[in-house]
Structures are given as C-alpha cells and as structure tokens.
Amino acid sequence: MASEKHAKEAIVTNIDDEICKEEEKLQNKSMFSVKSLLWHGGSVWDAWFSSASNQVAQVLLTLPYSFSQLGMVSGILFQVFYGLIGSWTAYLISVLYVEYRTRKEKENASFKNHVIQWFEVLDGLLGPFWKALGLGFNCTMLFFAAVIQLIACGSNIYYINDKLDKRTWTYIFGACCATTVFIPSFHNYRICSFLGLGMTTYTAWYMTIASIIHGQVENVTHSGPTKLVLYFTGATNILFAFGGHAVTVEVMHAMWEPKKFKYTYLFATLYVFTLTIPSASAVYWAFGDELLNHSNAFSLLPKTGFRDLAVSLMLIHQFITFGFACTPLYFVWEKLIGMHSTRNICLRALARMPVVIPIWFLAILFPFFGPINSAVGALLVSFTVYIIPTLAHMLTYRKASTRQNAAEKLPFFIGSWTAMYILNGFVVIWVLVVGFGFGGYASITNILKQINTFGLFAKCYQCKPSTPPTLAPTPPRAH
C-alpha cells in the first residue's frame, strides 16, 4: 500500500512539475512578445519609421528660416529635388550593403555579434582608402548632427521656460541625452521611432495650422531671395534636411531581411514631404522676412498650450534623434577599444561616455544651430550621403563581370547601366558644385558672421532682451 501511495504521489508531483513548466513557458513567451513589440524591431515598417523619424527632427523648425532665404518657390522645389536625390543615394547605399554582405557570407563570415557599418562596406568593396574616407566623413557628420540636437534642445525649452538661459538648458539636456549610451543598437529603437514620428507629425501640423490662424503679421514682406549668400545657405540647409541617411547601413543591418530596405527611404521621404512643405510654407507666409533673424520657428509662433506641447514633443524627439546620430559613433568607438562584442550593457555604456562629452562641449561652444545646419550640410552631408555613395557605386560596378554578377540588379525604372552612370554623374557634379562649392562658401560666410556678432559660448543666442523694471517716479521735494 505504501509503495502504491508513493507511486501516486510521484505521478501527481510530475504532473505539477509539467504544469509549472508549461506555465513558465507561457509566461516567458508572453514576456518575449511584449519585449519584441516594444523593444526588438527588425521589420520593413521598423526601418520606415526609423528613416522617417530620423529625417525630420529639429530641421523642421529651421525650414521656414530657409524659405525666408530662398523664397517660397525655390524652397519647395529644393525640398522635392533634394528629397528625391537623397532617396536615390540611400538606395545606392542599400545596394552596396547587400553586395558586401553577400560576398562576405559566401566566405562564411558571421555577423552574429557584429554590426556592419558604412566604412566596412567601403573597405570590403573598394579598399582601405575608401574606408578612411567614409569613416572620416561619416563620423564627423554624425558628431555634428548630435551637436545640433543638443543646441536645439536648449533653444526649444527656452520658449517654455526662460528662467534659465539657453546655455544652462544645454548643460541639462546634455546630461539627459547621455543616457542613450544604454540603448544597445537600432534593434531597440522600435517604440522610439514610432513615437518620434508621431511627435514630429503633430509639431508640423501645429506649425501649419497655428500660422494660418495667426495670419500674416502687419506689413509682412516676402523679399527672398535677396542675396546669393543667403540663397545658398538656405539651399544647403535643405540639403542637410534630406541627408539623414548616414545611418542607413546600421538601420539595414538591424532588419531581419535587409534586402527589403530598397525603397523604404523613398516612401519615408514622401511622407516627410507632407510635413515639411506645408509647415515651412505656412510659417513663411505668416511671418515673411522676420524669419531671417529667427532660425527657430517657435520663437515667432504665439505662446499657447498647443505650442508648449509641440516644444515638449520636439524635445523628446530630439533625444531620440541624438541617439540615432550617436549610435553609429558608439559602434565605431567600441570597435576601436575592443568592446563591441561585449554583452554587458552597463560596461558598454561606460565605454561609450567619451563619445558624448566632446559633443556636449561643442553644443555649448556653438549655440546657433540654424547656421550650423547649413555648414554641416555643405561641407559634410554633401560628401557623406551624396557624393561618396554615388562614386562608390560607380567604382564598385565599373567592370562588366561585376555588373553581371551583382547581388542586386538594376531598378525597374533604369533601362541600362549607361543610364545609371549618367544619373550618378549628374548627382556627383550637382552636389559638388552647388552643394559643396556655392553652399560651402555661403554657409561659412554666414556662420562667421554669427560668431562675430554673438561670440562663442553665447549665453542666450537670439533671446529677447529682458525688459528693465519700471521705476516709480520720484515725488517732488517739498520746498
């Protein structure tokens, strides 16, 4: 009887153990699903959200400033033109990534604990010179893009709370943005990208509707373009706006199927047009030439709860965009010091801190992000995301055998490799002459003017002067 009783107890115990294991599996599966939903993204939609969210950040606030320099017609035309060129070069980068990865996988290379970056693609396809070229331009551009985000944070929050000056706010937000060192990779930006695009969508339509409701200011003038320096400064700011694909390779690598990226950036750009063109046009229509002295559109829009919400949302989005710009820099630094394969998040975060500190310093040194946008666009974006990818594509497929065995065939709208080379040649010449040449001269001239006028380490750039307290009249003395 005792043995039979023990046998029954053992059976019950085993059943209980199996039930516990099944419950644990279901719980783990549920937790994994929630984690995947919010944290671990790699679909085409994730790539689209990342591309669109990264493309529209603080530049949304400076496009009306560019319209005041360019005029309405040129402003719209340059947005469409540079948006399409940017989509084309993002496509070329995606093709080169697939080509590089296909070749490496044939050599049994594993990328399980390694994130492929743009300079590695150039190295594998064209050699060490192109690796150095891509690494130098890409890192410098992303570095200054992160600087611009910090400057914009200090500028925006000032319009909600001006008890602290912009420089002090930049100190504070530098500390906040430093927490991006804890986000491992672009896999983990799923919820951030989704929310970020929602925030910029609200801000863009707030700017549009608020400007229309406000109406045109008294004696409004729309005299732009008036000077070539201002004209090309505005044009290069738009070049910068649609040059957000310096992180294309990292976004692709985070995808489950990178080959599906092809036209993702184009569709992201088309959505971005619905935000940038109406908002910049409406603000310029309402305020005209006043924007020439206000690179941040928030400084002219009336203070309301809707505006304060837009400012708050843009601050959160700039935190996200700061992370987008810095993550490739984190990867490069990790590879340099041998920490890239480390799984310990806290250790990697500590190792990444030397990347954040100089960004923080420069944001305090150069507090005027409108002119910096144009300079970065002309001198860095022009090469990083337009000229270098286009030349790299032309050189990679210069041989007939390489073209024949290409991992990706020509797009359906390009009839031949001759047409491909003509289009690529046009992009290189245009961006080199107009973007880098004219735009570089205009941007440097403009930024030097800003430094001479306001100085480095400016405490509160383009802040309204405080009104001195009104003194009560002194009563007359009795005689």
Side-chain angles (χ1 to χ4, degrees):
M1 290 290 293
S3 60
E4 187 177 340
K5 184 179 179 181
H6 285 306
K8 287 181 179 179
E9 288 177 353
I11 292 170
V12 171
T13 303
N14 289 336
I15 291 172
D16 288 341
D17 289 342
E18 290 298 324
I19 291 172
C20 288
K21 287 179 181 178
E22 288 299 321
E23 288 178 351
E24 188 177 351
K25 285 180 181 177
L26 289 171
Q27 187 177 2
N28 289 338
K29 185 177 180 182
S30 175
M31 290 174 64
F32 178 76
S33 299
V34 172
K35 182 180 178 182
S36 297
L37 178 65
L38 301 177
W39 183 251
H40 192 75
S43 67
V44 175
W45 279 106
D46 288 305
W48 183 85
F49 276 114
S50 292
S51 299
S53 180
N54 187 43
Q55 196 174 136
V56 193
Q58 49 69 39
V59 77
L60 188 68
L61 309 176
T62 64
L63 285 175
Y65 168 65
S66 297
F67 271 46
S68 69
Q69 297 168 321
L70 290 164
M72 185 77 78
V73 175
S74 290
I76 294 172
L77 290 178
F78 268 114
Q79 278 202 47
V80 174
F81 179 67
Y82 280 133
L84 294 177
I85 288 183
S87 300
W88 174 247
T89 54
Y91 168 79
L92 297 181
I93 292 172
S94 71
V95 168
L96 293 173
Y97 169 86
V98 171
E99 184 68 39
Y100 169 78
R101 184 158 184 169
T102 302
R103 293 184 187 182
K104 284 294 181 181
E105 287 176 346
K106 287 180 180 177
E107 300 171 3
N108 297 319
S110 174
F111 300 105
K112 186 177 181 182
N113 295 320
H114 183 91
V115 176
I116 298 174
Q117 293 189 266
W118 176 231
F119 70 91
E120 294 169 316
V121 172
L122 291 174
D123 185 30
L125 297 177
L126 297 172
F129 170 78
W130 283 88
K131 172 186 176 180
L133 198 65
L135 184 61
F137 273 103
N138 214 49
C139 288
T140 308
M141 177 200 152
L142 290 171
F143 183 89
F144 278 100
V147 169
I148 290 167
Q149 298 309 317
L150 280 189
I151 297 171
C153 284
S155 176
N156 290 344
I157 190 64
Y158 181 79
Y159 299 117
I160 294 181
N161 185 338
D162 60 1
K163 292 180 180 179
L164 299 176
D165 57 75
K166 291 182 182 179
R167 187 171 67 189
T168 303
W169 279 120
T170 304
Y171 285 129
I172 295 169
F173 277 95
C176 295
C177 289
T179 58
T180 57
V181 296
F182 290 99
I183 302 176
S185 72
F186 282 100
H187 274 300
N188 314 115
Y189 273 99
R190 164 173 276 186
I191 190 65
C192 291
S193 299
F194 176 77
L195 292 175
L197 190 58
M199 293 167 188
T200 49
T201 299
Y202 170 85
T203 303
W205 284 107
Y206 154 74
M207 290 168 62
T208 305
I209 295 168
S211 298
I212 294 171
I213 292 173
H214 179 277
Q216 293 184 313
V217 296
E218 189 177 356
N219 299 321
V220 65
T221 55
H222 300 87
S223 56
T226 55
K227 298 179 181 178
L228 283 177
V229 168
L230 292 179
Y231 187 83
F232 286 108
T233 300
T236 49
N237 184 43
I238 296 177
L239 181 81
F240 172 83
F242 292 95
H245 46 289
V247 297
T248 298
V249 170
E250 289 83 0
V251 170
M252 283 187 71
H253 191 83
M255 292 178 68
W256 300 317
E257 298 179 78
K259 287 188 176 183
K260 291 186 176 181
F261 183 85
K262 284 184 189 177
Y263 305 116
T264 301
Y265 197 88
L266 173 62
F267 292 123
T269 301
L270 294 177
Y271 179 78
V272 167
F273 285 155
T274 69
L275 306 181
T276 58
I277 293 176
S279 60
S281 301
V283 176
Y284 178 55
W285 169 82
F287 298 100
D289 291 348
E290 284 190 25
L291 286 159
L292 289 169
N293 297 315
H294 296 83
S295 57
N296 190 326
F298 281 146
S299 63
L300 291 175
L301 292 167
K303 182 175 175 59
T304 62
F306 292 110
R307 193 202 71 165
D308 288 352
L309 177 59
V311 173
S312 301
L313 293 178
M314 284 303 291
L315 287 170
I316 299 170
H317 185 264
Q318 279 154 353
F319 166 83
I320 296 168
T321 309
F322 181 90
F324 278 168
C326 282
T327 299
L329 297 177
Y330 295 153
F331 292 156
V332 172
W333 178 248
E334 288 169 0
K335 291 171 184 177
L336 182 65
I337 63 175
M339 295 286 290
H340 188 55
S341 59
T342 303
R343 310 293 276 178
N344 188 316
I345 292 178
C346 292
L347 192 60
R348 288 181 73 180
L350 185 63
R352 290 172 170 187
M353 283 305 297
V355 177
V356 177
I357 293 171
I359 292 171
W360 202 352
F361 173 77
L362 282 184
I364 297 163
L365 178 65
F366 298 111
F368 21 88
F369 73 89
I372 287 180
N373 279 359
S374 300
V376 171
L379 304 179
L380 297 173
V381 174
S382 58
F383 279 94
T384 304
V385 297
Y386 294 99
I387 295 173
I388 291 177
T390 309
L391 287 176
H393 188 274
M394 295 170 76
L395 291 174
T396 298
Y397 296 105
R398 63 189 182 277
K399 295 181 181 178
S401 57
T402 310
R403 295 195 293 269
Q404 189 174 358
N405 298 316
E408 288 285 334
K409 302 305 177 186
L410 289 174
F412 67 92
F413 53 87
I414 298 290
S416 66
W417 280 97
T418 301
M420 172 72 86
Y421 271 83
I422 290 172
L423 178 56
N424 285 345
F426 168 76
V427 171
V428 171
I429 293 170
W430 177 275
V431 176
L432 187 63
V433 174
V434 178
F436 176 72
F438 296 144
Y441 171 77
S443 300
I444 294 299
T445 302
N446 190 36
I447 202 169
L448 288 175
K449 177 185 175 183
Q450 301 289 351
I451 293 172
N452 291 334
T453 305
F454 297 98
L456 302 176
F457 296 104
K459 191 173 183 179
C460 209
Y461 172 71
Q462 286 188 346
C463 296
K464 293 179 180 178
S466 57
T467 305
T470 304
L471 298 176
T474 305
R477 293 182 181 180
H479 294 285

